[in-house]
Amino acid sequence: MFTFKSPANPKNIWKLCFKSRKEMNDIYYENRPVDEEVRIHGITEYITLTIYIDKDLDGFPLGKALRHELMHVYLWETGQQGRIFNEEE
């Protein structure tokens, strides 16, 4: 596990955790049926200030998942979580 200060609100300390596929499914689906066809690469939980990343990712998929989840952090921290973005943004 790693920790880092929020880029927008330094009072918030975020955690970055790497989890197995089963652990990612347990977090994401929360006692609902798991869709085995879907692979969860990352999850951002604002309430717990935690980002979960699939520990089996490496290279480009890992970088992409990290960037994606960090963008969720930025959007939540700046109050833009409900905004719709196009691909360029």
Side-chain angles (χ1 to χ4, degrees):
M1 177 176 66
F2 302 92
T3 60
F4 63 95
K5 288 183 182 178
S6 161
N9 182 355
K11 293 179 182 178
N12 288 344
I13 306 297
W14 283 80
K15 297 176 286 296
L16 173 62
C17 304
F18 292 89
K19 300 289 185 179
S20 70
R21 185 174 186 174
K22 181 187 178 327
E23 291 170 316
M24 294 291 286
N25 285 340
D26 290 345
I27 294 164
Y28 184 79
Y29 290 104
E30 296 183 43
N31 300 319
R32 293 177 288 141
V34 174
D35 183 349
E36 294 296 338
E37 300 293 320
V38 175
R39 180 99 188 228
I40 308 298
H41 290 178
I43 302 166
T44 299
E45 286 186 345
Y46 186 73
I47 293 170
T48 62
L49 300 179
T50 304
I51 296 172
Y52 301 100
I53 299 289
D54 183 332
K55 72 176 186 171
D56 293 326
L57 295 177
D58 65 358
F60 182 78
L62 173 60
K64 186 175 179 181
L66 285 169
R67 284 189 301 276
H68 179 93
E69 299 310 321
L70 288 171
M71 182 55 77
H72 284 297
V73 170
Y74 177 78
L75 293 174
W76 274 104
E77 295 279 332
T78 59
Q80 300 181 66
Q81 67 274 12
R83 186 171 163 214
I84 304 297
F85 291 88
N86 65 37
E87 185 65 28
E88 290 178 356
E89 292 177 303

